Amino acid sequence: MQFETLAIHDGQAPDPHTGSVTVPVYQASTFERADLQRHGEFFYSRIGNPTRAALESTIALLENGRYGLAFASGVAATLAALQVVKPGEHIVASNDIYGGSYRIFEQLLRPLGVTTSYAESSDTASYKACITPETRLIWIETPSNPLLQLSDIRALASLAKERGILLAVDNTFLSPYFQRPLELGADIVVHSTTKYLGGHSDVIGGAVITSDAALHTIIKNYQAAAGAIPAPWDCWLILRGLKTLKIRMKEHEANALHLAKFLEQHPAVEQVFYPGLPSHPQHELAKQQMSGFGGMVTFALKGGLPAVEQLVARIKLFILADSLGGVESLIASPAKMTLGALSIEERARRRCTDNLVRLSVGLENAEDLEADLLNAIT
Ligand SMILES: *Cc1c(COP(=O)(O)O)cnc(C)c1O
């Protein structure tokens, strides 16, 4: 079956008790046991809940993985996936990763004896150079945030296999509709379901997908023990989002490409970062490992921070907000907002300059969005 059919049907059969065509919100903490010896598939909702189970199996199918696990947030999913690394071991992560993932590596894992080195996101040789005998995992996010650089998933997967280590991919920016890292050789996929999978800016969630039973067991045991599970209602919202993932992603992409082309022509714009533009240095890799270019567009303004401040003050349709992946268009300053907590040196290392603007292009009319930008960029 094709992607959009799986998204609507699989793991979401009509409710056996009532025939309800949507999976019910099983708002229950506990489930009756048959007797002292036996319990059914569900007995306590931290361990398992039927609404969550439907979400977990649907997300696994969409990523073409065997096992899915849902979490209360993307960072909870990230920390859960990182349980496959033990104290004394080492991680190689891409330079240009989500600020919250960087915080986990530096503030949560480093004090526990798990160290992380950072490789140039787009340069496979740079990851290779960072590998030590202690390295257990390569962690990438592609396209990266906010510069939309790509990491070569196939090349890094074969490097990882060669060295006997694991490759994990944060696939939040593209969603499984445009990129399926497990098919390219990755071992673990992580999502912030808050973004495109939920898709409506109304829920926080995360997910981890793998096809490896041993890795799944480690992460599932952590899910049960640490307890950062999503509520049944939140699972239901994300399940609803998944049903329209294909049509939303196609439209996000069409609008993003339209605006990226428009911005590239604009005299006040210094550079546009969008993997769908032939000017993107990794446009060819994008066409190989992704089936679409996504809805995120970053650009640099010639006028520096004052020009960014003017733009966000004048813009009307784009909402100044930190998240991404919802139906409404959002605008953000990576330097002041999403990566604002990092030190100046750390931002410089990531080439996150003050003149960058990041757009999460929504599902409004492309001409309306273009007119809004044209009116606001001075
Ligand atoms: C938002 C985000 C996260 C963290 O997800 P939360 O749901 O906010 O915890 C992780 N990775 C990427 C790429 C994100 O955009």
Side-chain angles (χ1 to χ4, degrees):
M1 273 189 291
Q2 297 298 308
F3 188 91
E4 57 273 34
T5 313
L6 292 174
I8 292 171
H9 288 283
D10 235 286
Q12 304 184 64
D15 178 43
H17 308 296
T18 62
S20 162
V21 298
T22 60
V23 172
V25 179
Y26 283 94
Q27 193 70 43
S29 60
T30 195
F31 301 82
E32 188 182 22
R33 291 179 182 243
D35 54 44
L36 285 179
Q37 275 71 44
R38 290 173 300 153
H39 62 70
E41 185 183 353
F42 302 103
F43 57 99
Y44 187 63
S45 279
R46 171 156 46 73
I47 316 298
N49 172 281
T51 315
R52 192 170 97 220
L55 173 63
E56 293 177 330
S57 74
T58 304
I59 288 189
L61 276 156
L62 296 183
E63 283 287 357
N64 204 1
R66 284 171 63 195
Y67 310 103
L69 292 166
F71 291 88
S73 64
V75 292
T78 298
L79 187 58
L82 289 168
Q83 299 307 307
V84 303
V85 182
K86 296 284 163 273
E89 293 181 335
H90 173 252
I91 299 166
V92 179
S94 35
N95 204 1
D96 201 14
I97 49 167
Y98 179 69
S101 307
Y102 179 76
R103 200 157 48 216
I104 290 176
F105 292 132
E106 294 306 314
Q107 293 180 16
L108 300 186
L109 297 189
R110 196 173 289 278
L112 299 179
V114 174
T115 53
T116 302
S117 304
Y118 298 92
E120 195 53 52
S121 299
S122 56
D123 179 8
T124 304
S126 161
Y127 293 88
K128 201 170 191 169
C130 289
I131 294 175
T132 72
E134 284 70 46
T135 304
R136 170 74 175 134
L137 176 76
I138 299 175
W139 181 278
I140 61 172
E141 195 181 307
T142 179
S144 70
N145 180 22
L147 292 179
L148 302 165
Q149 302 182 75
L150 308 189
S151 309
D152 186 334
I153 300 175
R154 266 196 203 91
L156 288 170
S158 67
L159 172 65
K161 290 227 160 43
E162 195 183 294
R163 301 296 180 94
I165 62 180
L166 302 169
L167 174 66
V169 181
D170 182 333
N171 201 26
T172 300
F173 267 35
L174 285 181
S175 91
Y177 183 63
F178 283 145
Q179 176 170 273
R180 285 185 292 281
L182 297 178
E183 292 176 358
L184 303 171
D187 301 286
I188 298 170
V189 170
V190 173
H191 277 284
S192 168
T193 54
T194 309
K195 314 295 170 52
Y196 288 106
L197 301 190
H200 295 74
S201 306
D202 54 12
V203 62
I204 299 280
V208 181
I209 304 96
T210 181
S211 289
D212 183 302
L215 296 179
H216 171 70
T217 300
I218 293 170
I219 301 165
K220 184 165 174 51
N221 286 342
Y222 177 82
Q223 183 197 45
I229 44 113
W233 171 240
D234 289 359
C235 294
W236 189 91
L237 283 171
I238 297 160
L239 271 173
R240 184 168 71 166
L242 288 178
K243 294 176 196 186
T244 54
L245 184 61
K246 172 190 167 171
I247 53 170
R248 284 187 291 109
M249 291 315 293
K250 286 176 79 151
E251 200 62 19
H252 281 298
E253 181 192 38
N255 281 356
L257 187 60
H258 179 95
L259 295 184
K261 286 180 178 160
F262 158 74
L263 288 165
E264 206 170 35
Q265 304 298 322
H266 197 290
V269 173
E270 184 178 280
Q271 193 179 353
V272 179
F273 305 85
Y274 183 65
L277 289 176
S279 61
H280 189 282
Q282 295 167 292
H283 184 58
E284 287 309 312
L285 175 62
K287 287 195 281 189
Q288 285 162 28
Q289 71 181 15
M290 298 146 55
S291 57
F293 305 112
M296 300 299 295
V297 178
T298 299
F299 59 101
L301 281 172
K302 287 180 185 159
L305 186 60
V308 176
E309 284 168 344
Q310 275 215 346
L311 165 56
V312 300
R314 292 174 62 119
I315 201 119
K316 293 200 165 63
L317 286 176
F318 284 85
I319 301 166
L320 183 66
D322 293 82
S323 194
L324 60 105
V327 295
E328 57 291 287
S329 291
L330 304 180
I331 187 167
S333 153
K336 294 290 164 199
M337 296 163 60
T338 49
L339 298 179
L342 299 183
S343 67
I344 293 170
E345 297 73 35
E346 177 55 27
R347 277 203 301 278
R349 193 170 64 75
R350 292 160 162 252
R351 299 193 299 278
C352 174
T353 49
D354 281 354
N355 65 341
L356 290 182
V357 176
R358 190 188 77 177
L359 303 179
S360 170
V361 181
L363 305 183
E364 303 91 338
N365 178 276
E367 304 291 337
D368 289 341
L369 294 174
E370 180 186 322
D372 194 30
L373 280 169
L374 184 64
N375 181 52
I377 297 176
T378 45

